[in-house]
Amino acid sequence: MINDAVINGVYELWLVDDDVIVGPGVLDRMRQAHADVVYGNFLTSCNWGGHPDLWPQVWMTHPYGFRGHPLHLEKLRSEQDLELEVKGGGACTLLRGRALRQARYAPLLEGLRSAGGMWCGEDRTFAMYCEVHEITQLAVVGQPIMHLHECDDLTEQQEKAVREYVGL
């Protein structure tokens, strides 16, 4: 998809997972960020390491780590409109500039193929490529984005809650 976009002269490519609901104005806000890779950050429910908390859909270290400044994770969980530099993301991504022209969703380091786990996957491979090539990745925090993780069919009440959350 990225190669086709470049060949066809596309200047931006917005990738959103099919289980992510994006509210009005999110793409405009992402476009305001000054980076070649911009992630729409949102909290998602995951049970990593036995912690059923909500976690940001972006990370600071590989694989899916948040080491660094202790307030960074707190800021990523904030509802404030913020921009934070991150080292990866994936479910709501705006690509442009060098990220669109040069980056590729392809194995970056052959040795990681056998590592398994969180090192595998196109979003992590892409994030590492950006890091190695010094392509800035920013997360836009505090936007109406919702992840319907493991939710095949919404009840009428759930659908109403989703519409209300994203402002529709």
Side-chain angles (χ1 to χ4, degrees), residues 1-124:
M1 187 185 306
I2 293 174
N3 291 339
D4 289 345
V6 172
I7 289 168
N8 292 313
V10 172
Y11 298 102
E12 291 182 336
L13 186 60
W14 190 34
L15 306 169
V16 180
D17 284 9
D18 67 351
D19 60 352
V20 173
I21 306 297
V22 181
V26 171
L27 178 57
D28 290 336
R29 177 61 185 93
M30 291 174 73
R31 283 180 166 155
Q32 292 171 9
H34 296 288
D36 290 335
V37 179
V38 182
Y39 301 110
N41 181 55
F42 56 90
L43 300 180
T44 187
S45 131
C46 295
N47 196 0
W48 298 330
H51 301 288
D53 298 330
L54 294 176
W55 289 94
Q57 184 60 27
V58 296
W59 58 88
M60 291 303 302
T61 61
H62 303 291
Y64 281 135
F66 296 99
R67 288 183 301 261
H69 194 282
L71 294 178
H72 210 85
L73 181 56
E74 186 178 319
K75 288 180 181 179
L76 288 170
R77 287 183 164 154
S78 171
E79 293 184 13
Q80 294 179 318
D81 182 9
L82 301 170
E83 291 179 17
L84 299 170
E85 187 167 346
V86 295
K87 298 298 181 188
C92 180
T93 306
L94 177 63
L95 303 177
R96 56 188 173 192
R98 282 193 321 134
L100 188 55
R101 289 189 312 271
Q102 295 177 349
R104 299 291 178 261
Y105 278 102
L108 173 64
L109 301 171
E110 289 297 321
L112 294 179
R113 284 184 185 214
S114 62
M118 290 298 169
W119 290 108
C120 298
E122 73 282 352
D123 53 352
R124 291 164 292 277

Side-chain angles (χ1 to χ4, degrees), residues 21 146 148 151-168:
I21 306 297
M146 179 181 271
L148 300 177
C151 199
D152 294 331
D153 294 312
L154 294 179
T155 65
E156 191 174 314
Q157 184 178 5
Q158 288 170 319
E159 185 176 336
K160 182 180 177 186
V162 168
R163 289 179 172 278
E164 186 177 297
Y165 178 80
V166 298
L168 296 175

